[in-house]
């Protein structure tokens, strides 16, 4: 059997495929009359659509790449303080972007001095100015000036922001943190755990089990449900209001979405799978990789369907354990297939056309914000012919491909975000 590498190209390919599909399903959400199985399931439904598998796959991939990234920094000579600083800065950047994105959802153009489209475009431009992968040849003074300009723009947008409905207008405030914010929290917790246990596989497996247990308990034993606008905690079916717990929920409201550890369980699952792979390669037992990862993937699927009746069914919106386990199993098996295709058979060039989505992932994620809000600013609407049914889905896929192509061109010009 071909010797497998310690650093996997298949992770970049899996990330690229996932980002392509994320852009596709996000764009397709605005297409009318698409098959139900493609779209997100409703919050009250006990099922998941294809779109519900994409975000958890990305979280899992964050975990897959996390050990490689941290270990590479250590090999380059970074001290423990340097690594810790890297973790905090990276997660902090994602939290800041997520914070602005989630407030974008409640933007009130009538109350604000600028439109939502202008606000979103300025914010996205500021992200690029702050976190752009500036070339080392650029003068430090110029780079710092551009970053300071980006920070100033974010502050200005925070000052002029108005959200909520008429009569209840408010400034920027945290709620569910947004996609990037959730990734930031999950990365922060899992990276700190990895850092604390020094990457020891047994300790990482214990952490994964503990996080999964928290997720199961939150959706079964206690059935905790924190309402966004009410300080109500349902424990074993009883409403508790006006108590210390209720007040604590108000105080911790910005973190309510991560209370069940679902995102962290997904990310830590990726960390463990990555650890298993590395351990088998280092000990020369690469022949065991196929059976080991296949068994883990199947067991996760079985666990998801087994716990479904006892932990609020399958739901991405409610981040139930069944959803976490099933998506973890699907991603593990997809990863295993790509190890064989990309790292063993060397078919990496077959995915060259989407490579930028795996190497400039954050850039490709943010480009659609320019697309959507420039069209909104210009009051451009897609014709019904290409925004309905199969033609609409084909248009969404073409849009995803063009965005990745643009991301590749920007990468060549060093116009990509790097955190």
């Amino acid at each position: 059997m071909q010797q497998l590498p310690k650093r996997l190209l298949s992770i970049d390919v899996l990330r690229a495929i996932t980002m392509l599909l994320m852009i596709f399903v996000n764009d397709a959400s605005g297409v009318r009359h698409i098959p139900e199985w493609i779209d997100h399931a409703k919050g009250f439904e006990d099922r998941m659509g294809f779109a519900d598998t994409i975000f958890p796959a990305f979280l899992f991939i964050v975990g897959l790449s996390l050990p490689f990234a941290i270990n590479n920094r250590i090999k380059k000579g970074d001290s423990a303080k340097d690594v810790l600083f890297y973790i905090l800065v990276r997660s902090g950047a994602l939290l800041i972007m997520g914070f602005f994105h989630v407030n974008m959802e409640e933007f009130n153009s009538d109350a604000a001095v600028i439109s939502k489209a202008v606000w979103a475009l300025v914010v996205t431009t500021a992200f690029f100015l702050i976190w752009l992968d500036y070339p080392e040849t650029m003068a430090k003074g110029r780079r710092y000036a551009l970053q300071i300009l980006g920070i100033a723009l974010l502050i200005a947008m925070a000052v002029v922001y108005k959200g909520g409905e008429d009569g209840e207008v408010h400034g920027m405030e945290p709620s569910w943190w947004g996609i990037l914010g959730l990734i930031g929290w999950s990365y922060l917790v899992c990276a700190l755990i990895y850092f604390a246990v020094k990457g020891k596989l047994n300790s990482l497996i214990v952490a994964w089990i503990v996080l999964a247990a928290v997720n199961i308990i939150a959706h079964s034993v206690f059935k905790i449900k924190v309402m966004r606008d009410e300080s109500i905690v349902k424990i074993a079916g009883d409403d508790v209001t006006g108590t210390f717990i209720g007040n604590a929920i108000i105080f911790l409201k910005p973190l309510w979405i991560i209370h069940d550890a679902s995102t962290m369980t997904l990310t830590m699952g990726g960390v463990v799978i990555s650890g298993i792979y590395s351990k088998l390669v280092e000990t020369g037992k690469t022949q065991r990789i196929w059976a080991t990862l296949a068994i883990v993937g199947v067991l996760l699927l079985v666990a998801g369907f087994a716990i479904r009746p006892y932990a609020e069914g399958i739901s991405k919106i409610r981040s139930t354990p069944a959803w976490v386990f099933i998506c973890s199993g699907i991603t593990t098996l997809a990863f295993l297939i790509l190890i064989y295709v990309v790292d063993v058979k060397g078919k990496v060039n077959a995915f060259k056309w989407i490579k930028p989505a795996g190497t400039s992932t954050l850039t490709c994620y943010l480009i659609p914000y320019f697309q959507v809000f420039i069209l909104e600013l210009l009051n451009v609407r897609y014709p019904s012919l290409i925004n309905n049914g199969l033609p609409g889905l084909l248009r969404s896929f073409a849009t995803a491909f063009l965005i990745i192509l643009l991301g590749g061109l920007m990468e060549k010009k060093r116009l990509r975000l790097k955190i």
Side-chain angles (χ1 to χ4, degrees), residues 130-372:
I130 298 170
W131 289 290
L132 199 67
D133 182 18
Y134 290 101
E136 295 180 1
T137 55
M138 178 181 285
K140 288 185 177 180
R142 184 181 179 187
R143 185 180 70 202
Y144 292 154
L146 291 172
Q147 289 177 321
I148 290 171
L149 174 60
I151 294 171
L153 288 174
L154 282 188
I155 293 173
M157 292 303 97
V159 171
V160 303
Y161 176 86
K162 297 296 180 183
E165 299 177 356
D166 294 338
E168 296 182 2
V169 177
H170 56 75
M172 292 185 68
E173 60 181 27
S175 55
W176 70 279
W177 291 104
I179 296 296
L180 294 178
L182 292 181
I183 294 172
W185 278 118
S186 183
Y187 174 81
L188 176 63
V189 171
C190 294
L192 289 177
I193 291 173
Y194 185 88
F195 179 79
V197 305
K198 299 180 179 179
K200 294 178 181 178
L201 183 57
N202 290 340
S203 299
L204 294 172
I205 292 173
V206 170
W208 188 24
I209 293 172
V210 170
L211 290 169
V214 171
N215 183 238
I216 293 170
I217 290 171
H219 290 276
S220 55
V221 178
F222 293 106
K223 293 185 180 179
I224 300 174
K225 182 180 180 183
V226 181
M227 309 302 290
R228 287 194 181 190
D229 301 316
E230 300 175 36
S231 56
I232 299 176
V233 182
K234 294 187 177 181
I235 302 180
D238 296 326
D239 289 350
V240 181
T241 57
T243 62
F244 171 79
I245 296 178
N247 293 329
I249 292 301
I250 296 175
F251 181 75
L252 296 174
K253 184 180 178 181
L255 304 180
W256 77 269
I257 194 65
I258 65 169
H259 76 289
D260 67 352
S262 58
T263 58
M264 292 164 230
T265 304
L266 285 158
T267 300
M268 187 55 70
V271 173
V272 169
I273 294 299
S274 188
I276 292 173
Y277 172 88
S278 297
K279 185 74 172 179
L280 292 174
V281 170
E282 289 170 3
T283 56
K285 299 176 181 177
T286 55
Q287 71 279 5
R288 297 185 182 180
I289 288 174
W290 314 108
T292 302
L293 296 192
I295 290 171
V296 172
V298 171
L299 286 177
L300 285 168
L301 291 175
V302 171
F305 285 107
I307 202 169
R308 178 182 184 180
Y310 310 103
E312 300 186 297
I314 302 175
S315 174
K316 173 185 181 288
I317 300 298
R318 288 176 279 118
S319 60
T320 63
W323 171 73
V324 171
F325 290 147
I326 291 171
C327 291
S328 296
I330 291 172
T331 312
T332 298
L333 296 176
F335 176 50
L336 181 59
I337 293 171
L338 286 176
I339 291 176
Y340 179 76
V341 173
V342 175
D343 296 301
V344 175
K345 292 298 183 180
K347 302 296 184 182
V348 65
N349 286 335
F351 302 94
K352 188 176 181 180
W353 60 286
I354 58 169
K355 181 182 177 182
T359 54
S360 296
T361 310
L362 185 56
T363 304
C364 291
Y365 179 81
L366 290 177
I367 289 175
Y369 284 87
F370 286 115
Q371 171 217 349
V372 169

Side-chain angles (χ1 to χ4, degrees), residues 41-47 314-315 317-318:
K42 302 295 188 298
F44 60 85
E45 293 181 305
D46 177 16
R47 71 174 187 89
I314 302 175
S315 174
I317 300 298
R318 288 176 279 118

